[in-house]
């Protein structure tokens, strides 16, 4: 760092007889000046919040999103005074705590990366990225003026170390203070992100004027009056304005272009995390030894094209060929292979690449390492997708927005390939149609991609067309499976209802064999037919149940004159209803007449009358064998009534109860991987949840049934580890979360540090 300070002109406050009081007065002046300026800037910012949220509400894609913005407007108006008070109080505390360090041992300044790693660990990634991008961007933009303020603050505070990260008036502390103040606001995260952007635009953008005031104030007070504002920026700050390679041949080290907007912000955040992870000193990642020069974008792309050609020459694996271990080694060592290839092209192997290129190489490497570890992808698909590391590294060098924009064609293509691959299995892809399509996309990227980013749009369109056709075929098959399952369940439910109605009326009391046979088989099936066709609230169903009542009652009348008179009155209705019902359940006319003759004989005996045509002995009822007896086979799989559910849950093992909550939260479209005791794993999608039985129907990617389970059965399978839920979010999002999480962990100690 080049301070360029003339020692003879420095005023050393520590040698002044009233140094502590003098320093304290100056810090009070700094606080008053800063508070006044921050209050003005913050007020100006809040004046623009309403307009910004109203504009977004007018452009909202739906009513729900519009209401989020309107609710945010009301919340901001209500809580604005509390946010402003909290912010100014937080700033004052930060300055007080900073001043207190004069009486303590010097402390090591935190880096941006360290601050953000803690925030990431608190699962506030989206907000943290916005905060870190603002900090990094403004530290780079304000570095010159802030450097001068920090040097003067260090002098009046007894020589303590003042860095960009711990400066009480620096973007890092000011932005983190605003984040704390924003906790006063109970608003949707989308609204908060808009306010953060406005804070960047209206508050942080006004810091030059504040730093100018503070430098003038302290210089006039005799604190480093001749300090020249020269500053060697740190690595984290430098990466904000790092150049962007737009096409082959543009030099990363010397380009005047900058990575801007969302892409630049997120890349800057990730680069700050990479820097903190590596623990490099400022600028170390771009320092070369001897006469070597940093490889240009043209050299990187050329070397990558050579490596890409080598993969093409070896070909992609066929179905069943694993090679995960080999591909993992290639992914992990791509940087070394790249430097070796550049060395072969230029005649000497470079020691380093530029900071931004090193971060890009590492980021793409971590992305593809994640792919090889992602259990949501079958191993065969992991190998295919991992082969795309070099094309995606070239794309990331050509366009840094790849990692920032979710709608970037290259990102959408990789997400689309992963989504298609998620449901793949050898069983569901016996014609190899899906495997060959994904392999074809990978081969086209490897064979054709040089520097034309349009290839990603073209391949994405082809993949979407393929997926649309496959989806239509699968939906038809799925619909047939669901309709078939729904029909079976309706039949089962009707059979269960019919059996229960008859059993309730029999009430456990014996019936003559003839009557029992009529009800248990012929009439039970007639009830099922009515339930399926007319429903249980139909007049036909009520009439059919009246027949059951009358038939049962006819067997239990008292054996006296009144009982016989009642029976004689009932018999015409019984015969008429029975004849109608039997005709509807496929009885032939002669079978109906035979059964009625048996009934006449039975009732004649009950009435004490003789019948010459009646057989002396009642034979088995003439009911076709195809008509199943439902009463003797009441299904045991009836769904539990609500009042039974709690009791049933109590007897489940704790691990099954825990999984049951996850099962009950599942929505159609959720993919699971099933691990059978024998055979290959099978991936299946939850297609339909029966509203009647509550059973879960699973189909493969072709829409063919894989299985159906009750919630308790599925929970038990999951508790045993024989089924697991696959992630529903996009591959790129999962990978970015995993990368940030990995970077948030302490870096492993090197061999030197361990010694």
């Amino acid at each position: 760092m080049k301070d360029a300070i003339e020692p003879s002109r420095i005023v050393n406050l520590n040698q002044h007889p009233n140094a502590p009081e003098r320093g304290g007065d100056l810090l009070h002046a700094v606080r008053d000046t800063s508070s006044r300026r921050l209050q003005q800037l913050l007020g100006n910012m809040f004046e623009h919040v309403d307009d910004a949220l109203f504009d977004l509400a007018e452009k909202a894609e739906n009513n729900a999103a519009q209401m989020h913005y309107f609710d945010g407007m009301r919340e901001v108006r209500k809580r604005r005074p509390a946010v402003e008070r909290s912010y100014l109080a937080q700033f004052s505390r930060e300055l007080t705590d900073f001043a207190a360090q004069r009486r303590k041992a010097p402390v090591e300044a935190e880096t941006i990366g360290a601050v953000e790693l803690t925030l990431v660990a608190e699962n506030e990634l989206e907000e943290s990225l916005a905060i870190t991008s603002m900090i990094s961007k403004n530290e780079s933009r304000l570095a010159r003026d802030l450097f001068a303020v920090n040097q003067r603050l260090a002098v009046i505070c007894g020589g303590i170390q003042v860095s960009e990260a711990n400066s009480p008036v620096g973007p890092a502390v000011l932005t983190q203070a605003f984040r704390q103040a924003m906790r006063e606001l109970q608003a949707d995260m989308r609204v908060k992100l808009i306010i953060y952007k406005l804070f960047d635009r209206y508050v942080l953008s006004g810091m030059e004027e504040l730093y100018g005031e503070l430098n003038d104030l302290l210089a006039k007070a005799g604190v480093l009056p001749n300090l020249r504002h020269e500053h060697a920026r740190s690595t984290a700050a430098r990466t904000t304005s790092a150049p962007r390679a737009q096409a082959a041949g543009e030099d990363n080290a010397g380009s005047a272009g900058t990575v801007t907007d969302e892409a630049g912000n997120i890349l800057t955040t990730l680069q700050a995390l990479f820097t903190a992870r590596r623990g490099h000193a400022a600028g170390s990642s771009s320092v070369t030894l001897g006469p070597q020069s940093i490889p240009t974008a043209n050299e990187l792309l050329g070397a990558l094209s050579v490596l890409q050609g080598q993969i093409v020459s070896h070909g992609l694996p066929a179905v069943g060929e694993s090679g995960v271990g080999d591909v993992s080694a290639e992914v992990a060592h791509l940087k070394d292979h790249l430097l070796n290839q550049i060395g072969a092209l230029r005649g000497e192997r470079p020691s380093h690449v530029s900071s931004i290129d090193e971060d890009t190489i590492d980021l793409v490497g971590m992305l593809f390492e994640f792919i090889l570890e992602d259990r949501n992808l079958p191993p065969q698909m992991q190998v295919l997708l991992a082969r795309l590391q070099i094309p995606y590294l070239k794309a990331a060098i050509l366009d840094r927005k790849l990692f920032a924009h979710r709608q970037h064609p290259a990102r959408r293509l990789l997400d689309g390939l992963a989504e298609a691959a998620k449901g793949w299995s050898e069983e569901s892809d016996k014609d190899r149609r899906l495997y060959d399509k994904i392999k074809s996309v990978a081969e086209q990227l490897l064979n054709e991609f040089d520097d034309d980013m349009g290839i990603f749009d073209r391949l994405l369109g082809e993949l979407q067309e393929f997926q649309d056709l496959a989806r239509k075929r699968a939906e038809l098959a799925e619909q047939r499976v669901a309709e078939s399952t729904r029909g079976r369940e309706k039949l089962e439910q009707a059979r269960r209802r019919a059996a229960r109605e008859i059993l309730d009326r029999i009430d456990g009391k014996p019936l003559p064999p003839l009557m029992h046979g009529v009800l248990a088989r012929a009439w039970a099936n007639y009830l099922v037919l009515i339930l399926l066709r007319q429903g249980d609230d139909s007049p036909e169903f009520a009439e059919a149940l009246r027949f059951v009542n009358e038939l049962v009652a006819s067997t239990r009348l008292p054996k006296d004159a009144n009982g016989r008179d009642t029976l004689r009155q009932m018999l015409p209705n019984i015969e008429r209803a029975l004849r109608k019902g039997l005709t509807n359940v496929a009885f032939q006319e002669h079978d109906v007449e035979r059964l009625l003759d048996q009934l006449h004989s039975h009732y004649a005996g009950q009435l004490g009358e003789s019948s010459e045509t009646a057989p002396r002995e009642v034979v088995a009822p003439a009911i076709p064998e195809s008509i199943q007896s439902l009463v003797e086979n009441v299904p045991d799989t009836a769904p539990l009534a609500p009042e039974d559910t709690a009791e049933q849950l109590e007897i489940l093992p704790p691990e099954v109860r825990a999984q049951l909550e996850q099962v009950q939260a599942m929505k159609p479209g959720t993919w699971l991987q099933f691990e059978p005791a024998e055979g290959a794993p099978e991936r299946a999608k939850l297609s339909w949840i029966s509203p009647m039985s509550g059973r879960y129907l699973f189909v493969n990617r072709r829409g063919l049934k894989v299985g159906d389970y009750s919630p308790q059965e599925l929970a038990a399978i999951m508790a045993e580890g024989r089924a697991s839920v696959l992630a529903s979010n996009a591959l790129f999002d999962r990978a970015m979360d995993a990368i940030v999480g990995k970077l948030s962990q302490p870096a492993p100690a090197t061999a030197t540090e361990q010694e």
Side-chain angles (χ1 to χ4, degrees), residues 57-71:
E58 285 191 322
K59 299 172 185 176
E61 64 275 12
N62 53 50
N63 290 337
Q66 189 176 62
M67 286 307 300
H68 278 304
Y69 293 123
F70 284 136
D71 289 344

Side-chain angles (χ1 to χ4, degrees), residues 421-486:
K422 181 170 68 175
W424 181 89
S425 67
E426 291 195 52
E427 178 64 26
S428 67
D429 193 36
K430 290 182 177 179
D431 57 4
R432 301 289 181 261
R433 187 176 296 177
L434 176 59
Y435 186 91
D436 289 343
K437 182 60 183 179
I438 294 178
K439 184 178 180 181
S440 170
V441 171
E443 287 175 337
Q444 288 182 74
L445 268 181
L446 287 165
N447 282 300
E448 301 174 21
F449 178 50
D450 186 16
D451 58 7
D452 179 13
M453 298 293 287
I455 190 173
F456 292 99
D457 267 320
R458 176 171 61 82
L459 292 177
L460 177 61
E462 292 178 9
L463 179 65
Q464 288 176 335
E465 184 178 352
F466 172 86
Q467 284 290 84
D468 287 343
L469 290 174
R471 190 178 298 110
K472 288 177 183 177
R473 288 194 295 266
E475 284 174 354
L476 289 175
E478 241 179 284
Q479 186 175 358
R480 287 194 292 269
V481 171
E483 288 297 332
S484 174
T485 304
R486 185 181 291 110

Side-chain angles (χ1 to χ4, degrees), residues 65-135:
Q66 189 176 62
M67 286 307 300
H68 278 304
Y69 293 123
F70 284 136
D71 289 344
M73 289 168 61
R74 286 190 290 271
E75 177 69 8
V76 169
R77 289 172 188 166
K78 182 172 68 174
R79 304 298 298 169
R80 171 181 170 177
V83 175
E84 290 181 333
R85 284 195 303 271
S86 176
Y87 180 60
L88 294 174
Q90 181 72 18
F91 166 72
S92 182
R93 282 194 298 271
E94 292 287 350
L95 189 59
T96 301
D97 292 344
F98 173 80
Q101 294 183 55
R102 291 182 304 162
R103 297 179 291 277
K104 299 178 182 177
V107 295
E108 185 177 354
E110 289 183 298
T111 64
I112 298 169
V115 171
E116 280 308 304
L117 297 185
T118 302
L119 298 172
V120 168
E122 296 172 359
N123 295 321
E124 298 173 351
L125 176 59
E126 193 171 14
E127 188 178 17
S128 298
L129 289 176
I131 292 292
T132 307
S133 352
M134 282 194 290
I135 292 172

Side-chain angles (χ1 to χ4, degrees), residues 243-255 293-305 338 342 345-346 353-354 356-357 361 393-394 396-400 450-451:
R244 174 177 52 190
Q246 291 290 354
E250 182 176 333
D251 190 341
N252 276 6
S255 171
S293 60
I294 298 172
T296 64
N298 186 42
E299 287 182 293
L300 289 171
L301 294 169
L304 286 169
S305 294
L338 180 58
I342 293 173
L345 293 173
R346 64 157 56 172
V353 295
S354 69
I356 193 169
D357 286 329
I361 294 168
L393 178 53
K394 290 172 69 175
I397 291 173
L398 289 165
D399 186 359
R400 310 286 180 186
D450 186 16
D451 58 7

Side-chain angles (χ1 to χ4, degrees), residues 5 55 93 193 198 243 358 409 468 511 522 602 696 706 731 745:
I5 300 171
D55 289 344
R93 282 194 298 271
L193 291 176
L198 296 175
E358 183 177 10
D468 287 343
L511 283 179
H602 174 80
Y696 286 46
V706 172
L731 169 70
Q745 301 301 317

